[in-house]
């Protein structure tokens, strides 16, 4: 019965990278992430998705860096790679409008990464909205990607800290890891 009320979608997306330096001159490939999207929705509300992003060197460095409670930054790996996000959540559909909230895991593959250097699974949060037009839809989402679940939990905990400096540090970390994405999907 679940499959009778299910929808499958496949799509491609682009994600502009949010840079602190607006005057930075770079190639278009360095300013955008390209992604593949697959989604499965059932009973008009529940949703699971997989997104695979091609990640350039400078953004991989941001995704793999770590910050301790004192604000000390350990630099990340400066190599290209792939980011895979597998999420579950809710995506209610109200007429042509789609809304989305998900939580999930991510894994990073870094180019020429040794087997003993495999990164642990990370966590991510995603919200979005879109419009369905027949068998096509366009979705705008924003994901916050963390290198580990501990990092995600610590950052969310710091948002509620009474110290404004700690709250600002957490908000900055979330902003640094945001991936806004526009996805064009084909529905089956």
């Amino acid at each position: 019965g679940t499959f009778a009320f299910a929808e499958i979608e496949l799509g491609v997306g682009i994600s502009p990278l949010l840079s602190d330096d607006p005057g930075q001159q770079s190639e278009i490939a360095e300013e955008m992430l390209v992604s593949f999207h697959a989604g499965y929705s059932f009973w008009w509300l529940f949703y699971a998705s997989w997104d695979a992003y091609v990640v350039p060197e400078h953004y991989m460095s941001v995704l793999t860096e770590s910050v301790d409670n004192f604000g000390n930054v350990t630099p990340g790996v400066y190599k290209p790679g792939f980011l895979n996000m597998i999420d579950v959540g809710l995506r209610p559909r109200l007429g042509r409008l789609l809304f989305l909230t998900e939580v999930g895991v991510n894994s990073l593959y870094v180019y020429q990464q040794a087997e003993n250097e495999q990164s642990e699974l990370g966590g991510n949060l995603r919200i979005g909205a879109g419009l369905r037009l027949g068998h096509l839809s366009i979705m705008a989402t924003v994901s916050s990607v963390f290198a580990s679940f501990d990092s995600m939990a610590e950052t969310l905990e710091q948002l509620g800290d009474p110290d404004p400096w700690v709250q600002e540090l957490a908000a900055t970390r979330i902003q640094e890891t945001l991936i806004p994405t526009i996805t064009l999907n084909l529905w089956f």
Side-chain angles (χ1 to χ4, degrees):
T2 300
F3 293 106
F5 299 104
E7 298 169 319
I8 297 172
E9 61 188 32
L10 298 174
V12 293
I14 57 168
S15 305
L17 294 178
L18 304 176
S19 174
D20 292 339
D21 185 7
Q24 180 183 13
Q25 297 294 325
S26 61
E27 304 265 338
I28 189 76
E30 293 178 354
E31 296 175 3
M32 296 283 203
L33 299 180
V34 178
S35 65
F36 170 77
H37 170 80
Y40 177 75
S41 176
F42 57 98
W43 292 336
W44 77 270
L45 180 63
F46 302 105
Y47 189 64
S49 66
W50 167 56
D51 292 271
Y53 292 85
V54 178
V55 182
E57 300 91 352
H58 65 282
Y59 196 66
M60 185 62 77
S61 177
V62 170
L63 290 177
T64 57
E65 78 180 12
S66 61
V67 181
D68 65 14
N69 287 338
F70 302 107
N72 300 322
V73 178
T74 303
V77 178
Y78 193 78
K79 291 182 180 180
F82 293 96
L83 168 66
N84 287 292
M85 297 189 325
I86 298 173
D87 299 310
V88 294
L90 302 175
R91 194 197 65 194
R93 188 174 83 171
L94 305 171
R96 297 171 127 190
L97 299 177
L98 305 166
F99 301 96
L100 168 73
T101 181
E102 290 182 298
V103 64
V105 298
N106 67 61
S107 67
L108 292 173
Y109 169 76
V110 179
Y111 177 69
Q112 293 184 340
Q113 183 178 29
E115 287 183 23
N116 58 356
E117 295 177 2
Q118 292 296 325
S119 61
E120 61 182 293
L121 288 178
N124 45 277
L125 305 170
R126 174 184 284 184
I127 59 170
L131 182 65
R132 181 172 177 183
L133 305 166
H135 287 286
L136 293 174
S137 70
I138 186 163
M139 288 289 294
T141 61
V142 64
S143 303
S144 188
V145 179
F146 299 90
S148 69
F149 278 106
D150 292 338
S151 175
M152 182 173 76
E154 183 178 313
T155 302
L156 293 175
E157 185 178 310
Q158 288 174 345
L159 282 175
D161 196 280
D163 185 358
W165 182 80
V166 174
Q167 289 177 357
E168 185 177 329
L169 181 67
T172 301
R173 182 67 185 143
I174 288 174
Q175 290 172 355
E176 288 175 348
T177 62
L178 286 180
I179 301 177
T181 306
I182 301 292
T183 309
L184 183 62
N185 300 311
L186 181 61
W187 289 56
F188 300 98

